[in-house]
Amino acid sequence: MAPSPCTVRHARREDIPSILQMIRDLADYEHELDAVEATEASLDATIAFAPDNVESTSTAPNTEPITPTRPSRCLLLFNEKDEPAGMALYFYNYSTWRAKAGVYLEDLVVRASERKKGYGKRLLVELAKEVVAMNGGRLDWSVLKWNEPSIKFYESIGANAMNEWVGMRVDGEGLGKLASLLD
């Protein structure tokens, strides 16, 4: 299915309220709305935005530089009415075995009212184009095990479940404890 008419570009600072709302929408869908700590100010400080009135596409990103404190980029998809309908918030990763950079998709969001229009596929295609353009090794992301509709969608576009891997995380107080473990 070809996506409904839409445009995709890198986010600009003016898009921060829409990005935050989509983050909240996703958290609500995942039953974790209370866990959202992101604010407009924290998004402003951590996403590499495209300048106003400058074209920035997946194959030719033209954003602020990526840094350790500003590690992410955000592709926004606008529907035929030029309203934000979806986003792909991502950052770069690295495969030691391939010795190649890649993209890690942190969040893929399509607003509930805009689903079944091919927008999720369009955002993933744009990210795949970026990986290919940079001669990257892979496009990675995680999905909650209970999110069967998304899993089926991802498998339909050729993604493989990494069932032999277990996700690990250290955050909050545990991060401070680990940092001082050998002090």
Side-chain angles (χ1 to χ4, degrees):
M1 166 176 96
S4 295
C6 62
T7 56
V8 177
R9 65 164 171 78
H10 280 99
R12 300 176 185 136
R13 281 198 163 69
E14 68 198 49
D15 302 314
I16 292 172
S18 295
I19 294 168
L20 183 57
Q21 186 57 55
M22 283 189 263
I23 290 169
R24 291 179 191 275
D25 292 347
L26 178 63
D28 189 39
Y29 175 75
E30 293 180 351
H31 314 293
E32 291 286 339
L33 187 55
D34 291 340
V36 175
E37 296 178 12
T39 64
E40 289 187 15
S42 64
L43 293 174
D44 185 39
T46 57
I47 296 174
F49 290 100
D52 291 339
N53 303 316
V54 172
E55 186 167 343
S56 181
T57 65
S58 58
T59 55
N62 185 359
T63 68
E64 298 166 318
I66 298 293
T67 68
T69 58
R70 190 181 297 277
S72 61
R73 287 186 168 138
C74 183
L75 283 175
L76 287 179
L77 182 144
F78 295 85
N79 64 18
E80 63 279 354
K81 297 176 187 172
D82 204 34
E83 300 165 336
M87 74 168 193
L89 203 145
Y90 67 101
F91 56 89
Y92 299 100
N93 62 9
Y94 186 77
S95 169
T96 54
W97 290 10
R98 293 183 176 148
K100 289 188 172 199
V103 165
Y104 187 87
L105 173 61
E106 180 65 25
D107 284 322
L108 177 68
V109 181
V110 176
R111 290 200 159 137
S113 63
E114 302 290 340
R115 293 188 186 141
K116 305 293 184 194
K117 296 181 180 182
Y119 292 160
K121 184 183 291 185
R122 173 69 187 272
L123 286 163
L124 286 166
V125 164
E126 293 298 325
L127 286 176
K129 286 179 180 180
E130 181 165 347
V131 175
V132 169
M134 66 187 213
N135 192 30
R138 63 185 182 215
L139 172 60
D140 292 305
W141 66 92
S142 298
V143 59
L144 290 167
K145 289 182 179 183
W146 60 258
N147 193 346
E148 197 61 34
S150 292
I151 292 169
K152 286 180 181 177
F153 165 66
Y154 296 143
E155 289 174 341
S156 79
I157 62 163
N160 298 308
M162 304 291 293
N163 295 324
E164 67 276 12
W165 291 85
V166 174
M168 305 295 290
R169 174 178 296 152
V170 179
D171 64 2
E173 290 181 23
L175 190 57
K177 286 180 183 179
L178 178 59
S180 63
L181 197 61
L182 298 176
D183 292 347

